[in-house]
Amino acid sequence: MAKDANQFIFREEYEKWLLDLGVKSVGAYCPQDKYTCNDGREFLFFDLIGVFAKENDRLYVNALFEEWKAFIENKNQNNLKTTLNRLSYLQKYRQFVETKIYGKKRLSKEDNARFNEILNNIDSVRKSIDKSQNPKVDGMDSLIEYISTKRFIKLAIESSYFFSPKLVVERFEEIKEYICQQKDVDPADVVDPAFKDKKVKYLPARYTSKEDSTDAADGVHECDQTLGKVYFKLSKESQRLCVIYQEGARGKNTKCGGKTCGGGNGNARVCQLIKDRTGYDLGTTTNKKHFRNFIISHIWGHAIDPRYFTNLWNIVIVPAWANHLLDKDEEGTLASAFKATIQKIITKLYQYNSYDWKSIEMDEPTCKEEEVLHGNYHINTIDSIADKETLGKISKVSIPV
């Protein structure tokens, strides 16, 4: 066992637990990372977490795991592999704490002495954590305790549903034709009661009166107060206006002259498109849905941009327990690695470099290559329906990344 210089409370028990799990290099799982309080005092994360766990103070245990996670990510921000390895060690200790330490009654003589020494200084740690963050409970903790970051990402991706390359190309070409004004209406073949005039030109997208310019990539929304309609103006073509339909229309936007053209921001039009092309119903009542506990995710975002909103290369049906990570804009984290990896898989699955991106006035979507978690992924793809009475075939496709 380790000498005092590298000792921490519960180390002997932790190493035995690791050996019982088949871990051979237990020393690698015992990094001597330290938490620094506001007053300059330093403590091993292992010691602080051990003490708070024995005291059944879960909020501060969770806060310290968050501090430790941030410490690892900042220290190794230029090396994703090292970061993921170190985070896997943290997750293993979290599992140990959860199953072995909370409310523990008996300590060894050596651990008891160390425990009392740290306990006498614990107020300094509490005050430091209270000032740096609000102690909290993360809903992902219970899952990450029992599954590594790598396995989490692989499981999330392989549990998701993508669309077949054929379906994606067909929808891309439809939007391309619309943008180039070769068609009068969006050919999604969805009858929209909001437009009694079937000849109106529109392409579905979300609309919000609180628009963030970055959400629309390189275009902006414009409201015509006279007509009560919303337009999407591409910055590269100052004279071109793409007419778009306000998703949901659950409210009224006064900028549109009092007519209903604002308020909703859901995925109703995306659900209609998916049902029309694949037969799968995602937007109906719970007992009729073909996918439950899944969420439609726009992988590159920009849902208020009509070139992104119903373009199937930007859409994946993701398990609800993983989807929220795709909404984060981070670097060097579980969320950023997940997003970069699923984006990389999409670019390979659909062979992005063969698309005529200039025709829809946008650049080819990219990912953060340094964040991609390499491996072989067996993903689900949904194909188009043969007729209105069938469902699109779901196939497994192997994508090496």
Side-chain angles (χ1 to χ4, degrees):
M1 294 300 169
K3 301 295 183 182
D4 286 348
N6 295 318
Q7 196 65 28
F8 54 82
I9 189 172
F10 302 127
R11 175 160 188 166
E12 183 174 348
E13 188 173 349
Y14 180 46
E15 289 188 343
K16 182 179 183 302
W17 181 79
L18 288 170
L19 289 170
D20 290 342
L21 291 179
V23 176
K24 296 181 180 179
S25 302
V26 295
Y29 285 76
C30 302
Q32 302 294 295
D33 297 336
K34 295 181 179 180
Y35 175 75
T36 303
C37 296
N38 290 340
D39 61 9
R41 278 187 278 188
E42 292 184 334
F43 301 89
L44 289 175
F45 279 103
F46 279 120
D47 278 332
L48 294 180
I49 291 171
V51 170
F52 278 114
K54 184 181 181 301
E55 291 293 285
N56 270 321
D57 205 336
R58 185 177 290 270
L59 284 177
Y60 285 93
V61 170
N62 289 341
L64 281 163
F65 272 120
E66 287 297 314
E67 295 281 354
W68 196 359
K69 178 174 179 286
F71 174 88
I72 291 172
E73 291 170 347
N74 290 334
K75 184 177 181 180
N76 306 284
Q77 56 183 310
N78 295 323
N79 191 325
L80 179 60
K81 183 177 180 180
T82 299
T83 297
L84 293 176
N85 284 337
R86 295 292 297 278
L87 289 177
S88 71
Y89 303 153
L90 178 151
Q91 290 156 5
K92 189 62 69 177
Y93 188 63
R94 186 192 289 271
Q95 184 179 350
F96 168 75
V97 168
E98 189 71 27
T99 56
K100 298 291 185 180
I101 302 304
Y102 274 110
K104 188 176 179 63
K105 301 297 183 183
R106 295 184 180 181
L107 301 178
S108 67
K109 182 178 180 181
E110 186 177 34
D111 278 350
N112 190 61
R114 196 174 189 91
F115 174 85
N116 289 325
E117 178 185 351
I118 296 170
L119 189 63
N120 291 332
N121 294 282
I122 209 70
D123 284 344
S124 173
V125 180
R126 289 183 189 273
K127 291 178 181 178
S128 181
I129 292 175
D130 288 342
K131 288 183 178 180
S132 64
Q133 64 168 303
N134 293 320
K136 56 187 178 295
V137 177
D138 190 331
M140 295 296 293
D141 287 346
S142 57
L143 177 62
I144 297 300
E145 283 166 14
Y146 296 98
I147 185 170
S148 69
T149 298
K150 294 179 181 179
R151 289 183 60 197
F152 177 92
I153 292 175
K154 186 174 177 64
L155 178 62
I157 290 175
E158 294 186 343
S159 299
S160 298
Y161 289 81
F162 302 73
F163 297 96
S164 71
K166 178 185 176 183
L167 265 176
V168 172
V169 169
E170 287 176 354
R171 183 57 180 162
F172 183 92
E173 290 298 318
E174 289 173 351
I175 291 178
K176 170 184 170 181
E177 289 183 27
Y178 175 83
I179 295 292
C180 295
Q181 297 185 347
Q182 295 176 13
K183 289 197 174 183
D184 289 335
V185 295
D186 170 34
D189 194 25
V190 175
V191 177
D192 196 323
F195 289 106
K196 296 180 181 179
D197 179 3
K198 298 296 191 299
K199 295 181 180 180
V200 69
K201 297 179 181 180
Y202 79 96
L203 195 63
R206 291 182 188 170
Y207 171 77
T208 172
S209 58
K210 298 179 180 179
E211 183 175 317
D212 181 346
S213 59
T214 61
D215 288 343
D218 57 355
V220 295
H221 282 126
E222 292 184 348
C223 295
D224 187 315
Q225 297 186 23
T226 303
L227 297 176
K229 296 174 182 175
V230 184
Y231 296 80
F232 186 77
K233 186 175 181 180
L234 294 172
S235 59
K236 294 180 181 179
E237 286 285 345
S238 59
Q239 299 304 313
R240 175 172 291 170
L241 292 177
C242 298
V243 183
I244 66 172
Y245 170 69
Q246 156 51 29
E247 174 63 33
R250 290 191 291 266
K252 291 180 180 293
N253 186 337
T254 56
K255 291 182 179 180
C256 292
K259 294 186 178 181
T260 300
C261 66
N265 63 355
N267 282 317
R269 291 298 170 272
V270 178
C271 290
Q272 288 174 343
L273 177 67
I274 292 173
K275 184 176 181 180
D276 179 67
R277 302 303 163 87
T278 70
Y280 291 99
D281 201 330
L282 283 77
T284 188
T285 55
T286 303
N287 63 332
K288 293 183 179 180
K289 283 185 178 180
H290 291 102
F291 288 83
R292 299 184 183 181
N293 298 314
F294 282 87
I295 295 175
I296 292 173
S297 184
H298 289 83
I299 304 301
W300 274 269
H302 305 310
I304 67 174
D305 187 325
R307 296 166 299 173
Y308 287 77
F309 186 57
T310 57
N311 235 329
L312 294 177
W313 54 262
N314 190 36
I315 298 170
V316 177
I317 304 170
V318 178
W321 51 264
N323 179 72
H324 80 284
L325 293 174
L326 295 171
D327 294 330
K328 300 179 182 296
D329 186 14
E330 303 174 341
E331 293 184 2
T333 66
L334 167 65
S336 61
F338 178 33
K339 178 180 284 189
T341 305
I342 201 169
Q343 288 176 338
K344 184 66 175 181
I345 287 172
I346 289 173
T347 62
K348 295 199 70 175
L349 174 64
Y350 302 138
Q351 299 180 7
Y352 269 8
N353 57 0
S354 65
Y355 284 43
D356 184 8
W357 297 101
K358 290 184 178 180
S359 67
I360 61 172
E361 301 181 34
M362 63 175 285
D363 296 326
E364 177 182 336
T366 60
C367 65
K368 296 177 181 177
E369 293 285 349
E370 67 278 7
E371 299 264 24
V372 174
L373 189 62
H374 298 283
N376 197 43
Y377 295 85
H378 303 284
I379 65 170
N380 302 298
T381 62
I382 306 175
D383 207 348
S384 57
I385 55 176
D387 54 64
K388 296 296 182 181
E389 303 301 321
T390 62
L391 295 173
K393 181 180 179 181
I394 296 178
S395 304
K396 280 285 187 181
V397 178
S398 180
I399 302 292
V401 172

